[in-house]
Amino acid sequence: MLTRIMNGNKIALKLEKKIKKKIKIRKKNKKRIPGLAVIIIGNNISSKIYVKKKKKACKKLGFISKIWKFKNNIHENKILKLIQNLNYNNTIDGILIQLPLPNNFNLTKIMNSILPDKDIDGFHPYNIGCLCQKKPKLRPCTPQGIIKLLKEYKIKIKGMHAVIIGASNIVGRPMSLELLLKGCTTTTTHKFTKNLKKHIKNADIIIIAIGKPKFLKGKWIKKGAIIIDVGINKLKNGKIIGDVDFKSMKNKASYITPVPGGVGPMTVLTLLKNTLKACEKYHEN
Ligand code: GUN
C-alpha cells in the first residue's frame, strides 16, 4: 500500500489565494479590511510561536492584526475590560485568546465574555452549541481545517469509523462533532479509555491530538487507515515532531499528515477564513 502524504502547506497556499482575491475585491469596493485581535497572556513558548504565525498570516493576506501581550500577573478584570472594548470596536471582526491561559485565570469567564459573532475560534458555548445541533456558525479552526484538507484530497469520509484520540475542547471534542456532521461514526477516546488499541484497530480514520511524541504506531492501525496528526512536540534538539510514529506508518496508512506542514497551516488559514466570514456575515454594516 502506497502511503500518500497530505501537504497542508500546499493546500493552505492554494486557499490563501482565494482569500486574497476576496480581500482585493473588498478593497476595490471600498469595504473595510477584516481585523483580528489576539490576546496572549504569560510565557508559554508554543503560544508565542503560534501567535507569531497568526500575525504573519494576517500580514500576508492583508488583514489587520492587533496583538496584546500581558504578563501572568495582569488582573483578570483588565482582560475582561479589553474584551468588552474589542466586542464594540467596529474595526475588529475576530477576538482570539491564545490558549492555554495561566492557571490563575477563569478560562470560562474570559472565553464566554467574547461576543459569539467575534468568536473566530468557535469556542464560545453558543458556537459549540450550534455545531452540536448541526447548524454551525463560527467553528473551531483545527477540526474545520482538517475537514477541508480531507475534502481537498477528495477523500470521502461519509460512513467511515473515525477514532479521535484526545478529548480536548480545542481539538478532540469539536473534531468529533465535525466528523459526525460529515456522516462518520465517531469514537472519542481519552485518558480513561480502556483498551485503546482495540478502538484504533477498528478505525478507518484516526485523528490524534494528545501531545505525546511518536505515540501512535503503524502496527496498531488497520491497513489503509487515514492518519491525521495534530500533535506538535518540540524535542530537546529543537526538532518538531507529531504524536504519530511517522516512519512506522509507511505502506500501512493510506494517507498521513506530516508534522510540521500538515494540519498546522490549515489551522492558521481557517482562522483567517473565520475572521473574513465574521466580517462579511456579521459585521458588514
Ligand atoms: N492553542 C492551541 N491551539 C489553539 C487554537 O486553535 N486557538 C487558541 N485560541 N489557542 C490555541
Side-chain angles (χ1 to χ4, degrees), residues 111-125:
M111 299 309 274
N112 293 6
S113 72
I114 298 173
L115 272 183
D117 67 12
K118 292 199 176 186
D119 168 41
I120 36 68
D121 252 329
F123 294 156
H124 191 283

Side-chain angles (χ1 to χ4, degrees), residues 38-39 46-47 50 54 95-100 111 120-121 123 140-143 170-171 267 271:
V38 177
I39 300 172
S46 302
S47 291
Y50 292 143
K54 289 165 186 174
I95 305 168
L96 181 145
I97 314 286
Q98 187 62 36
L99 301 177
M111 299 309 274
I120 36 68
D121 252 329
F123 294 156
C141 299
T142 300
I170 298 177
V171 183
T267 298
L271 176 70

Side-chain angles (χ1 to χ4, degrees), residues 170-269:
I170 298 177
V171 183
R173 285 165 198 259
M175 188 76 243
S176 70
L177 295 172
E178 288 282 352
L179 290 163
L180 266 179
L181 208 58
K182 290 290 171 203
C184 289
T185 303
T186 58
T187 301
T188 307
T189 66
H190 43 76
K191 62 183 175 191
F192 302 119
T193 298
K194 287 181 184 158
N195 210 345
L196 177 65
K197 284 186 196 165
K198 185 188 88 187
H199 295 294
I200 290 172
K201 200 78 198 163
N202 278 324
D204 301 310
I205 173 165
I206 300 170
I207 294 97
I208 182 164
I210 56 171
K212 288 190 181 169
K214 292 190 187 180
F215 176 85
L216 185 67
K217 311 287 183 220
K219 63 181 177 201
W220 298 350
I221 70 161
K222 181 161 85 181
K223 199 159 189 164
I226 299 158
I227 307 296
I228 308 291
D229 190 352
V230 189
I232 299 177
N233 307 290
K234 195 169 183 180
L235 300 182
K236 280 197 181 123
N237 62 10
K239 202 177 162 204
I240 304 282
I241 64 166
D243 291 345
V244 174
D245 185 1
F246 190 85
K247 277 189 192 152
S248 72
M249 294 293 168
K250 200 173 169 205
N251 301 330
K252 193 88 197 274
S254 56
Y255 287 88
I256 188 167
T257 60
V259 176
V263 174
M266 295 303 293
T267 298
V268 177
L269 176 99

Side-chain angles (χ1 to χ4, degrees), residues 6-191:
M6 301 166 86
N7 189 335
N9 279 325
K10 192 175 103 187
I11 301 296
L13 204 64
K14 178 181 143 190
L15 300 172
E16 263 179 21
K17 285 186 185 140
K18 283 192 187 173
I19 298 182
K20 264 189 187 162
K21 245 186 217 167
K22 286 191 182 174
I23 298 296
K24 211 171 159 188
I25 294 169
R26 285 187 71 81
K27 280 186 182 163
K28 211 169 129 194
N29 294 336
K30 306 252 178 300
K31 285 188 174 169
R32 196 171 51 75
I33 292 168
L36 173 67
V38 177
I39 300 172
I40 174 167
I41 309 170
N43 249 329
N44 185 301
I45 293 170
S46 302
S47 291
K48 284 183 181 173
I49 296 171
Y50 292 143
V51 169
K52 234 186 219 169
K53 282 193 175 159
K54 289 165 186 174
K55 187 180 172 185
K56 200 171 149 195
C58 280
K59 197 168 171 205
K60 192 174 172 197
L61 269 73
F63 284 47
I64 292 169
S65 70
K66 296 242 162 88
I67 298 177
W68 281 264
K69 291 180 188 164
F70 296 107
K71 296 211 168 92
N72 275 353
N73 61 359
I74 179 87
H75 199 284
E76 189 173 285
N77 284 344
K78 281 215 168 139
I79 303 296
L80 292 168
K81 189 91 198 288
L82 171 60
I83 293 171
Q84 276 315 307
N85 287 336
L86 293 170
N87 277 341
Y88 295 104
N89 179 335
N90 54 19
T91 66
I92 294 296
D93 300 287
I95 305 168
L96 181 145
I97 314 286
Q98 187 62 36
L99 301 177
L101 277 181
N103 289 337
N104 49 319
F105 291 87
N106 183 336
L107 175 71
T108 308
K109 196 171 175 187
I110 289 182
M111 299 309 274
N112 293 6
S113 72
I114 298 173
L115 272 183
D117 67 12
K118 292 199 176 186
D119 168 41
I120 36 68
D121 252 329
F123 294 156
H124 191 283
Y126 173 79
N127 283 317
I128 287 291
C130 288
L131 180 59
C132 204
Q133 293 184 341
K134 302 189 276 183
K135 298 270 182 270
K137 293 206 155 61
L138 289 170
R139 297 148 58 191
C141 299
T142 300
Q144 194 189 155
I146 290 169
I147 297 290
K148 185 72 183 162
L149 189 60
L150 291 164
K151 191 174 173 211
E152 287 293 319
Y153 275 87
K154 300 189 168 44
I155 300 170
K156 304 246 184 309
I157 57 172
K158 196 173 185 173
M160 279 190 181
H161 181 203
V163 170
I164 298 130
I165 308 176
S168 71
N169 284 340
I170 298 177
V171 183
R173 285 165 198 259
M175 188 76 243
S176 70
L177 295 172
E178 288 282 352
L179 290 163
L180 266 179
L181 208 58
K182 290 290 171 203
C184 289
T185 303
T186 58
T187 301
T188 307
T189 66
H190 43 76
K191 62 183 175 191

